[in-house]
Amino acid sequence: MPLKHAAERPDSGHFPFYRLLGRDFLFPFALLLVLDMLVMVPLVRAHHLPLGIGIALVILPKLVGVPWAGARVLRIAELHYRRHGADGIKTALLGALLAAVLVLLVSTVESIQTMIFTRSEQENVWTAPSLKYRFGYERETGRYTISGEIDFGITRDFRAFLEQNPGGRTLILNSPGGSIYEGRGLLRIVSDNGLDTHVEAECLSACVLAFLGGGRRTLAPDAGLGFHQYAVDYSKLKQTIPFYDPKREQAHDIALMRGIGVSEDFLERMFQQPHEGIWMPPHDVLAGAGIIRTGP
């Protein structure tokens, strides 16, 4: 692809190497990354853009932009070599081009993964079966129960369970935790159905997200909520989400909890406990932070 301006030819008096490098290499690749992170993924997360269109808009600009920018970089490298006769810059540019393509590939996969799992969390389209959780319903008391892991599929299955057993008022939780994506899904279902939440034993990690969906949120005297840092469970590698970033997910849930009124002091402390341990705050701390809520 020819460079049109005389100043860009190797036989001209001036060869603006750095300007061309910024315009034809750094700027296009940076723009493609920004489109993913700041435009496409947020639009899909906010339901302003259908998932299929979002994925297409992540992929298509790269199918056009990467070959164009790559051809320009190769042309710049060739012109620099013909002008100066040294191939060090040419080799460096080729290496930088390859690295940029790899970064874009990783960014593309991560963006698509984020879109899919966010929409799965919102629409409950995950289909993996699980026997690690159980539901119950006492019609006389209007109490639902969830016990066991917050595993993949629980959001979808609990929504179906509510449709088959309408009329309950309170959800009793007893769980060691599990998938934060499914925990967020349960939070949404609990909130949408106007349920209160209650813990009689323990509700740890991802279970706390479901607990926070309750209108009234209460604990039995000996019950506890547990908090710790998020981490990848490599013992469940087949269910591990590629490019899962625990710190980013923690930031997501800090913002979520801030939105429902949890205090800033508590949010700062919430993820200080390493994943191997668990922090179980006293009831008065939970009440003061807005986690426990006995009023409407």
Side-chain angles (χ1 to χ4, degrees), residues 116-124 155 181 184-185 188:
I116 291 173
F117 276 89
T118 298
R119 188 55 56 88
S120 297
E121 168 196 329
Q122 293 169 342
E123 298 181 354
N124 311 299
T155 304
Y181 297 98
R184 294 170 190 162
R188 187 171 293 105

Side-chain angles (χ1 to χ4, degrees), residues 267-296:
L267 293 176
E268 290 179 5
R269 186 177 178 186
M270 184 171 62
F271 290 122
Q272 290 183 3
Q273 179 69 36
H275 183 75
E276 295 74 18
I278 199 78
W279 175 47
M280 302 188 74
H283 288 199
D284 60 336
V285 172
L286 293 169
I291 301 290
I292 294 175
R293 187 169 67 183
T294 57

Side-chain angles (χ1 to χ4, degrees), residues 31-61:
L31 180 61
L32 290 171
L33 285 173
V34 169
L35 281 174
D36 282 3
M37 295 183 291
L38 300 184
V39 180
M40 300 308 173
V41 172
L43 283 176
V44 170
R45 275 185 159 173
H47 271 259
H48 297 318
L49 200 65
L51 179 60
I53 294 178
I55 292 175
L57 291 177
V58 165
I59 294 174
L60 290 177

Side-chain angles (χ1 to χ4, degrees), residues 13 16 75 101 253:
R75 180 64 174 160
V101 171
D253 287 341

Side-chain angles (χ1 to χ4, degrees), residues 2-243:
L3 297 177
K4 297 180 180 180
H5 300 292
E8 298 173 1
R9 296 198 303 266
D11 56 349
S12 66
H14 176 62
F15 177 51
F17 173 74
Y18 293 106
R19 180 170 65 83
L20 293 177
L21 190 64
R23 186 191 71 186
D24 296 339
F25 176 46
L26 298 178
F27 177 74
F29 279 94
L31 180 61
L32 290 171
L33 285 173
V34 169
L35 281 174
D36 282 3
M37 295 183 291
L38 300 184
V39 180
M40 300 308 173
V41 172
L43 283 176
V44 170
R45 275 185 159 173
H47 271 259
H48 297 318
L49 200 65
L51 179 60
I53 294 178
I55 292 175
L57 291 177
V58 165
I59 294 174
L60 290 177
K62 296 180 180 65
L63 294 179
V64 176
V66 171
W68 179 87
R72 300 287 291 183
V73 170
L74 293 175
R75 180 64 174 160
I76 293 169
E78 181 62 26
L79 290 175
H80 189 278
Y81 175 73
R82 287 163 56 188
R83 182 178 180 87
H84 297 284
D87 60 0
I89 293 294
K90 182 177 180 180
T91 302
L93 280 177
L94 294 177
L97 177 61
L98 178 60
V101 171
L102 290 175
V103 168
L104 279 179
L105 178 61
V106 170
S107 172
T108 301
V109 173
E110 183 177 10
S111 297
I112 292 173
Q113 167 253 305
T114 300
M115 290 179 181
I116 291 173
F117 276 89
T118 298
R119 188 55 56 88
S120 297
E121 168 196 329
Q122 293 169 342
E123 298 181 354
N124 311 299
V125 299
W126 186 272
T127 58
S130 175
L131 300 176
K132 297 180 180 179
Y133 47 81
R134 296 178 301 280
F135 307 141
Y137 179 45
E138 297 178 356
R139 295 187 184 279
E140 297 79 9
T141 61
R143 288 156 58 107
Y144 300 106
T145 59
I146 292 179
S147 57
E149 289 189 28
I150 308 298
D151 201 18
F152 289 113
I154 192 171
T155 304
R156 175 205 61 212
D157 292 345
F158 187 61
R159 172 168 287 167
F161 184 80
L162 289 181
E163 291 174 354
Q164 296 167 6
N165 300 276
R169 299 182 300 275
T170 303
L171 172 61
I172 312 299
L173 292 159
N174 178 27
S175 171
S179 165
I180 57 173
Y181 297 98
E182 296 287 348
R184 294 170 190 162
L186 288 176
L187 182 156
R188 187 171 293 105
I189 290 178
V190 170
S191 177
D192 289 347
N193 284 273
L195 300 177
D196 298 331
T197 50
H198 180 73
V199 177
E200 294 183 343
E202 65 177 18
C203 177
L204 310 181
S205 192
C207 177
V208 175
L209 294 170
F211 177 79
L212 289 171
R216 291 182 175 87
R217 304 188 289 266
T218 56
L219 302 180
D222 295 329
L225 300 180
F227 301 82
H228 60 187
Q229 296 173 2
Y230 295 159
V232 178
D233 186 352
Y234 290 100
S235 68
K236 301 178 180 177
L237 194 58
K238 290 183 179 179
Q239 293 180 335
T240 298
I241 299 170
F243 304 106

